[in-house]
């Protein structure tokens, strides 16, 4: 009875306390003479909520609030007259006066118009918060989803090739000539999806087909060292893919395309006919996408991709009979695998899901999980059969079949307080399992976590960003047994701070520091501080001058240090002593915005200077004749420098013009990539019958004129222009590369070695093709017809002139392709 009586009394007392608290709160509220301003902020044209739009007092910017995910805002103010400014990046600001009555709610809905100044592109990659692109202190290019769809993109690297200053050579991204050819291993460009890295843990290699092209908000490409915010792999820049979240209305999209490869315009043998197949190789692709908001607080996105591609490179011919003694002398396997056309067919299936929950009771809080899963049957061709009739066939022993299973799971939670403090915890588990012929299989798992604190001091226009990052990469493969075990591990921990300050609304200053810690297996740990600083000055309404300096640091991957393998005549050799490479990058640039009629544009011109220490290059040579006759090895080759100019023009007409429109992305890049230590000996090979020779830049290069680095293009020009007239749209693209001046001298040596010296050995030929092609110019074209608001039909033709061209030795690029694309959106 006493216990029951006590509980009853506690309930009565609690109710009394609640009544007293509410009454006292109302009394205090009444005495302070406050009122409430509330409403909804939205885009006048699209009717979409302006998520994150700010409401501030014009005479005291420290007082204000921001719109929630639905565009709603609430601001408590003392009674009286106020002048309020409402701002949102990409839309025109609106200023209005309002009288706040004591103890009353004033309703004010705000519609913001599209900006009429310039492009008003909003990005987040540079400082990890929303900024106008013209106010950045670094160079950046932006790819919109319209270009991705219009070019019938089935794998994201094909549209990235249109970015000025960016080149992708056999899966390896290069920005402004900052790296050579490495088969994509040890990328110096960070690939991130929604700010989280997506390079494989063992090789630091991008998996382009894994990125969900069907669900992209925009792609932001930073040019220049970005290691302070993005870590080791961002030595030369960052490619940040931002996925899309639902709008107020559900959206479903179905994108299907099918096409064929053309007969190569070269003396190459038609491999598909020689193998008994009389039809042209074909491909088909299906993208599916659906997004919606469930019960006003659960964002749901699902996408899928299915792709079948017969490919344009045929299987190698069966290896001819070889005398066992010769086979032993060449260290060849007992048998080289024989593949068929069906073996070379590529098949891919991928599904991705994004979930985000926003509790209504906790304003500013959201959490969720993103996931992606892919099964991929593909192949890798390291060398062609020959430089004339064998361009579109693989060399025996240099073709591998691969079955991939990839998945990632990304839980996250974010919270932003009313006073501008943001907390974010993002995590990722990324697993890859690659089953590859010829004992090349490997599997690995990457565990990533980043906590970020961001505070915006609106009264002084200062943004503070700080974070802690942890990354553990584990791999298991016999490929890496040179470390002493097939199981290897890298641990990386880092912390960073960046400050972004705006003075007088025209000067932006940005500076940051990062401290990196690396440890691979039982080796000694490596620590490195990294710094950056930058400034952007608005000279006139549309003129912005910027300058920046940044340091870069990249730690070698497991693959670069320990890979040991062979295939046919070729091998890849380990280098356990490989050192980290560092860089210093400086840039000065001008961005000019202008508007002609309905056309808004930015012209950007930048001069850059990048210096590298302990440059890591992937070099071809004779490294260990007891394992393979020739092959590749990662080496520190000394110091190098890349300087040049980079120009781009991005233009578009207003979306409100339904009858006519133009969009363009045009760029030119010139680089001077040179070795600063051309005579420095960085290795000794085992050529000349095993006696060997000291290797330096000059001794290992085919062309040492001006000490130009290997595998670079001095001149690059990119163009993509689309014109819309009523329901029709026509687009054209061009990629121009000057001659690759310098390659490894060992390519010539291997030609000599296989030129009849051993009977029944296919001669490896590539130098003549390289030396006889003085430039590369590839044109693409597309034509589309908008059937109605939901349907569009397109014809897309790539390499329309059917050029036979190569971006790296011993690998031919695709001949002409033609495809029909149908898009249904509702």
């Amino acid at each position: 009875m006493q216990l029951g009586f006590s509980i009853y009394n506690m309930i009565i007392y609690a109710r009394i306390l609640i009544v007293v608290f509410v009454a006292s709160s109302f009394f205090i509220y009444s005495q302070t003479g406050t009122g409430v301003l509330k409403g909804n902020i939205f885009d006048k044209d699209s009717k979409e909520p302006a998520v994150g739009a700010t409401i501030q007092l014009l005479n005291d910017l420290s007082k204000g609030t921001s719109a929630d995910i639905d565009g709603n805002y609430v601001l408590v103010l003392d009674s009286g007259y106020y002048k309020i400014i409402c701002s949102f990046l990409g839309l025109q600001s609106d200023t209005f006066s309002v009288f706040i009555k004591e103890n009353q709610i004033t309703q004010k809905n705000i519609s913001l118009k599209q900006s009429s100044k310039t492009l008003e592109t909003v990005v987040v990659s540079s400082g990890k918060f929303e900024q106008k692109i013209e106010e950045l202190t670094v160079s950046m290019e932006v790819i919109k989803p319209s270009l991705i769809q219009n070019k019938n993109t089935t794998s994201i690297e094909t549209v990235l090739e249109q970015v000025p200053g960016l080149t992708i050579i056999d899966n390896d991204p290069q920005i402004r000539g900052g790296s050579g050819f490495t088969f994509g291993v040890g990328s110096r460009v960070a690939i991130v999806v929604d700010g989280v890295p997506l390079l494989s843990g063992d090789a630091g290699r991008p998996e382009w087909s894994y990125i969900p092209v069907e669900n992209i908000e925009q792609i932001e490409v930073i040019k220049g060292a970005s290691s302070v915010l993005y870590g080791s792999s961002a030595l030369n820049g960052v490619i940040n893919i931002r996925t899309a979240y639902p709008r107020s209305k559900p959206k479903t999209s179905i994108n299907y395309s099918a096409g064929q490869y053309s007969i190569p315009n070269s003396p190459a043998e038609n491999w598909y006919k020689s193998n008994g197949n009389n039809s042209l190789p074909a491909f088909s692709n299906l993208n599916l996408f659906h997004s919606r908001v469930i019960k006003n607080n659960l964002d749901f996105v699902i996408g899928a991709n299915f792709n079948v591609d017969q490919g344009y490179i045929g299987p190698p011919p069966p290896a001819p009979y070889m005398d066992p003694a010769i086979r032993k002398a060449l260290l060849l396997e007992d048998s080289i695998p024989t593949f068929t056309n069906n073996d070379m067919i590529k098949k891919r299936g991928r599904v991705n899901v994004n979930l985000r929950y926003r509790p209504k009771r906790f304003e500013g809080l959201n959490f969720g999980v993103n996931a992606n899963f892919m099964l991929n049957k593909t192949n890798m061709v390291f060398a062609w059969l020959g430089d004339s009739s064998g361009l579109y066939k693989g060399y025996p022993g240099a073709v591998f079949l691969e079955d991939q299973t990839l998945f990632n799971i990304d839980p996250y939670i974010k919270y932003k307080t009313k006073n501008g403090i943001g907390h974010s915890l993002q995590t990722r588990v990324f697993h890859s399992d690659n089953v590859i012929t010829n004992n090349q299989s490997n599997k690995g798992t990457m565990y990533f976590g980043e906590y970020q604190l961001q505070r915006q001091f609106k009264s002084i226009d200062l943004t503070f960003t700080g974070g802690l990052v942890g990354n553990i990469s584990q791999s298991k493969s016999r490929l890496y047994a040179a470390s002493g075990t097939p199981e290897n591990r890298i641990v990386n921990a880092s912390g960073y701070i960046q400050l972004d300050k705006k003075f007088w609304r025209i000067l932006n200053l940005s500076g940051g520091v990062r401290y990196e810690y690396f440890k691979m297996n039982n080796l000694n740990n490596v620590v490195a501080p990294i710094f950056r600083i930058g400034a952007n000055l608005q000279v006139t309404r549309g003129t912005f001058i910027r300058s920046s300096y940044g340091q870069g640091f990249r730690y070698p991957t497991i693959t670069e240090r320990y890979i040991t393998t062979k295939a046919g005549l070729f091998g890849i050799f380990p280098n356990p002593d490989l050192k980290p490479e560092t860089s210093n990058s400086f840039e000065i640039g001008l961005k000019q915005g202008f508007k002609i009629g309905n056309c808004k544009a930015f012209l950007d011109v930048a001069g850059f200077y990048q210096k590298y220490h302990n440059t890591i290059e992937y070099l071809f040579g004779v490294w260990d004749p007891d394992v393979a006759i020739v092959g590749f090895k990662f080496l520190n080759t000394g110091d190098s420098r890349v300087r040049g100019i980079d120009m781009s023009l991005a233009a578009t007409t207003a979306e409100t013009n339904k009858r006519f429109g133009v969009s363009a992305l045009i760029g030119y890049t010139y680089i001077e990539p040179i070795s600063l230590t051309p005579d420095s000996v960085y290795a000794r090979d085992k050529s000349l019958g095993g006696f060997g020779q000291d290797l330096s830049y000059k001794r290992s290069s085919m062309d040492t004129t001006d000490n130009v680095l290997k595998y670079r293009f001095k001149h690059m020009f990119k163009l993509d222009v689309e014109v819309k007239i009523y329901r029709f749209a026509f687009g054209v693209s061009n990629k121009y590369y000057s001659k690759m001046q310098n390659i490894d001298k060992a390519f010539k040596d291997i030609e000599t070695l296989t030129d009849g010296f051993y009977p029944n050995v296919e001669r490896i030929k590539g130098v003549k093709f390289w030396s006889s092609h003085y430039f590369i110019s590839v044109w693409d074209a597309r034509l589309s017809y908008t059937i109605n608001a939901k349907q569009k039909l397109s014809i897309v033709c790539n390499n329309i002139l059917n050029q036979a061209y190569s971006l790296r030795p011993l690998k031919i690029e695709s001949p002409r392709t033609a495809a029909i694309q149908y898009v249904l959106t509702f």
Side-chain angles (χ1 to χ4, degrees):
M1 290 291 293
Q2 289 181 349
L3 179 60
F5 178 76
S6 299
I7 294 176
Y8 176 77
N9 286 342
M10 289 175 63
I11 294 174
I12 295 298
Y13 294 152
R15 289 178 175 175
I16 293 172
L17 287 173
I18 292 172
V19 171
V20 171
F21 175 76
V22 172
S24 61
S25 298
F26 179 77
F27 178 76
I28 293 172
Y29 175 81
S30 301
Q31 291 299 310
T32 53
T34 58
V36 174
L37 175 66
K38 64 181 297 187
N40 183 265
I41 309 171
F42 58 94
D43 185 325
K44 186 175 182 179
D45 296 320
S46 68
K47 308 302 180 184
E48 293 288 340
V51 182
T54 59
I55 292 284
Q56 296 168 282
L57 304 188
L58 194 59
N59 62 346
D60 186 359
L61 297 177
S62 65
K63 294 182 180 180
T65 187
S66 57
D68 63 16
I69 197 72
D70 299 312
N72 297 322
Y73 73 94
V74 177
L75 182 61
V76 179
L77 297 168
D78 293 337
S79 60
Y81 283 99
Y82 293 94
K83 200 162 188 180
I84 307 290
I85 182 171
C86 178
S87 306
F88 186 70
L89 289 176
L91 301 177
Q92 291 185 31
S93 298
D94 185 22
T95 302
F96 60 92
S97 298
V98 65
F99 179 73
I100 302 299
K101 296 181 181 180
E102 185 177 339
N103 302 330
Q104 291 189 19
I105 296 175
T106 302
Q107 186 80 25
K108 176 65 176 179
N109 294 330
I110 306 167
S111 61
L112 300 178
K113 300 178 181 179
Q114 291 286 333
S115 174
S116 61
K117 294 180 181 178
T118 49
L119 286 181
E120 289 286 4
T121 300
V122 180
V123 297
V124 299
S125 299
S126 178
K128 294 200 173 183
F129 65 96
E130 289 190 343
Q131 296 173 278
K132 296 178 182 178
I133 192 171
E134 65 268 27
E135 296 180 352
L136 302 181
T137 63
V138 296
S139 290
M140 180 184 288
E141 303 290 349
V142 174
I143 296 291
K144 296 292 186 180
S146 57
L147 181 60
I148 298 172
Q149 183 186 100
N150 293 344
K151 287 185 68 66
N152 191 31
T153 303
T154 60
S155 187
I156 199 65
E157 78 276 15
T158 57
V159 75
L160 289 173
E161 290 174 344
Q162 289 300 142
V163 175
L166 172 62
T167 306
I168 297 179
I169 300 180
D170 204 14
N171 289 325
D172 183 20
Q174 300 179 359
I175 291 181
R176 293 173 172 174
S179 61
F181 157 62
T182 65
F183 282 112
V185 174
S187 175
R188 293 167 178 82
V189 177
I191 312 299
V192 296
V193 177
D194 293 325
V196 182
L198 199 64
L199 294 171
S200 62
D202 58 346
R205 179 185 175 93
E207 297 288 353
W208 299 114
S209 60
Y210 186 63
I211 296 171
V213 295
E214 65 276 6
N215 178 25
I216 291 181
E217 181 75 22
Q218 69 181 25
I219 302 174
E220 300 168 4
V221 180
I222 301 177
K223 304 176 186 179
S226 304
S227 292
V228 166
L229 287 183
Y230 290 95
S232 173
S233 58
L235 193 72
N236 292 329
V238 178
I239 299 174
N240 184 19
I241 294 97
R242 295 172 55 189
T243 60
Y245 274 97
R247 300 296 195 265
S248 57
K249 296 180 180 180
K251 178 182 178 181
T252 300
S253 177
I254 301 171
N255 183 336
Y256 176 74
S257 63
Q260 287 185 323
Y261 294 92
S262 294
I263 298 175
N265 185 20
S266 70
E269 177 185 353
N270 294 333
W271 62 265
Y272 48 88
K273 290 187 177 181
S274 66
N275 284 276
N277 186 355
N278 292 321
S279 62
L280 291 168
F283 53 88
S284 61
N285 186 80
L286 174 64
N287 289 340
L288 303 173
F289 173 82
H290 177 74
S291 68
R292 65 170 51 239
V293 179
I294 302 173
K295 293 184 178 180
N296 294 322
N297 64 343
L298 176 61
D299 299 330
F300 172 73
V301 178
I302 185 169
N305 168 256
F306 303 95
N307 182 276
V308 178
D309 187 350
Q310 290 182 300
Y312 64 92
I313 296 181
Y321 170 79
M322 186 177 297
D323 185 272
I326 296 177
R327 182 177 295 278
K328 183 177 180 180
L330 291 174
L331 305 171
L332 295 177
E333 299 86 350
D334 292 337
S335 63
I336 294 177
T338 300
F339 303 125
T340 65
N341 280 358
N342 287 335
D343 292 328
M344 301 294 286
I345 295 176
K346 299 178 181 180
K347 299 178 181 179
R348 179 177 73 235
R350 186 188 64 241
V351 178
N352 60 91
V353 177
N354 291 1
L355 289 172
R356 181 174 65 181
Y357 183 69
R358 296 170 277 110
K360 295 180 179 179
R361 296 178 58 187
F362 299 95
E363 184 179 346
L365 175 67
N366 70 86
F367 54 87
V369 61
N370 300 336
N372 198 3
F373 175 81
M374 182 177 77
L375 294 176
N376 188 28
K377 175 185 177 294
T378 185
N379 61 70
M380 297 179 289
V381 180
F382 288 93
W384 58 38
L385 182 62
D387 61 1
S388 55
S389 62
L391 285 173
Y392 295 90
K393 281 189 174 183
Y395 189 89
V399 175
F400 304 91
L401 304 185
E402 181 179 21
D403 289 325
Q404 291 184 299
T405 302
L406 305 176
F407 71 84
N408 68 274
I409 301 174
D410 307 346
Y412 66 89
I413 182 170
K414 299 180 181 181
Y415 177 64
K416 188 171 184 179
T417 65
K418 293 182 179 180
N419 59 355
I421 300 177
H423 301 271
S424 169
L425 177 62
Q426 292 182 282
T427 63
R428 168 167 288 167
V429 178
F430 178 34
H431 179 78
S432 60
D433 188 352
N434 305 302
V435 180
I436 308 173
T437 55
N438 200 39
N439 298 317
Q440 308 291 312
S441 300
N442 59 86
K443 62 175 61 178
T445 306
M446 180 192 74
Y447 303 92
F448 174 87
E450 177 179 2
Y451 167 74
Q452 183 184 104
L453 171 66
Q454 191 167 90
R455 176 70 186 271
Q456 293 181 330
F457 300 90
K458 296 181 180 179
S459 60
I460 57 174
D461 226 338
L462 172 70
T463 299
F464 167 88
T465 305
L468 298 173
V469 181
N471 193 330
I472 299 175
S473 297
Q474 298 175 330
S475 71
K476 183 177 182 180
S477 174
R478 289 191 295 171
L479 291 171
Y480 309 133
S483 68
T485 173
E487 297 185 10
N488 292 272
R489 168 177 167 142
I490 291 182
V491 176
N492 170 223
S494 58
Y496 62 87
I497 293 175
Q498 177 160 305
L499 296 175
D500 293 88
K501 175 75 172 82
K502 194 165 189 176
F503 294 92
W504 314 295
R505 298 195 176 189
I506 61 170
L507 175 63
N508 289 328
L509 296 181
S510 178
V513 59
R514 188 185 188 99
Y515 196 77
E516 291 270 15
Y517 166 93
F518 279 94
K519 186 174 180 63
M520 181 182 293
N521 297 335
N522 294 320
L523 300 178
N524 292 333
N525 61 279
V526 174
V527 296
I530 310 165
F531 302 92
R532 73 166 297 268
I533 190 170
N536 182 301
L537 176 65
Q538 182 177 359
V539 181
T540 67
R541 183 178 180 182
T543 305
F544 301 82
I545 298 175
R546 67 179 183 275
S547 179
S548 65
Y549 165 80
Q551 296 178 326
F553 174 86
R554 193 181 75 84
Y555 191 78
T557 63
I558 294 171
T559 301
E560 289 171 291
R561 274 187 169 163
Y562 297 126
I563 186 170
T564 308
T565 188
K566 65 168 298 185
L569 296 174
F570 303 95
I572 304 178
F573 302 92
N575 183 3
D577 299 322
L578 198 64
K579 300 176 183 178
E581 57 183 340
T582 59
S583 72
N584 289 276
S585 177
F586 176 78
E587 173 187 303
I588 184 168
L590 168 71
K591 187 178 289 289
Q592 177 64 56
F594 56 90
K595 183 175 182 289
I596 304 175
N598 286 326
C599 181
K600 299 176 288 185
F602 273 126
L603 174 66
D604 192 278
V605 181
F608 57 89
Y609 178 99
Q610 303 166 145
K611 187 175 181 181
Y612 302 89
H613 178 60
N614 284 332
T615 307
I616 297 177
E617 297 280 349
Y618 191 47
L619 300 183
F620 191 66
V622 182
W623 302 112
D624 190 348
D626 293 334
V627 176
I629 297 299
V630 293
F632 291 92
K633 188 175 184 178
F634 291 94
L635 293 166
N636 294 111
T637 59
D639 296 343
S640 60
R641 184 196 71 203
V642 181
R643 65 184 181 188
I645 59 173
D646 192 8
M647 297 183 290
S648 66
L649 173 68
T652 186
T653 53
E655 296 182 2
T656 53
N657 191 332
K658 304 298 182 182
R659 295 185 176 183
F660 177 80
V662 176
S663 64
L665 179 61
I666 305 171
Y668 168 75
T669 305
Y670 169 76
I671 63 171
E672 292 181 353
I674 68 169
S675 170
L676 298 177
T677 54
D679 297 308
S680 177
V681 175
Y682 52 75
R684 184 176 180 85
D685 72 0
K686 294 186 178 181
S687 60
L688 306 176
F691 179 76
Q693 61 178 331
D694 290 334
L695 292 180
S696 63
Y697 162 83
K698 286 189 174 180
R699 289 189 175 184
S700 65
S701 295
M702 189 76 76
D703 185 347
T704 60
T705 304
D706 298 326
N707 296 331
V708 170
L709 295 172
K710 302 167 189 172
Y711 309 112
R712 269 79 166 183
F713 302 106
K714 277 191 171 183
H715 301 270
M716 290 178 285
F717 175 78
K718 305 288 183 71
L719 174 146
D720 186 272
V721 177
E722 180 167 295
V723 178
K724 182 187 74 172
I725 303 176
Y726 293 92
R727 294 189 176 189
F728 287 93
F730 174 75
V732 62
S733 301
N734 176 252
K735 300 184 291 289
Y736 171 88
Y737 306 96
S738 62
K739 180 180 175 60
M740 182 180 285
Q741 178 178 320
N742 193 13
I743 63 174
D744 280 304
K745 186 180 178 182
F747 282 109
K748 185 176 182 180
D749 297 336
I750 190 62
E751 283 195 10
T752 303
L753 182 67
T754 58
D755 187 14
F757 188 78
Y758 296 104
N760 294 331
V761 174
E762 294 281 358
R763 183 183 177 189
I764 299 174
K765 295 182 289 185
V767 174
K768 181 180 178 181
F769 189 95
W770 163 75
S771 61
S772 61
H773 286 71
Y774 299 102
F775 65 89
I776 298 168
S777 182
V778 182
W779 289 90
D780 305 331
R782 57 188 184 269
L783 177 66
S784 68
Y785 174 73
T786 302
I787 301 171
N788 52 42
K790 297 181 179 180
Q791 301 180 82
K792 186 171 78 168
L793 189 65
S794 305
I795 299 175
V796 182
C797 187
N798 294 328
N799 190 6
I800 194 169
L801 300 180
N802 207 14
Q803 298 287 323
Y805 69 101
S806 172
L807 293 177
R808 64 94 168 162
L810 306 183
K811 173 68 186 297
I812 196 69
E813 299 298 321
S814 173
R816 178 174 53 227
T817 63
I820 296 177
Q821 179 192 47
Y822 171 75
V823 179
L824 173 64
T825 304
F826 57 92

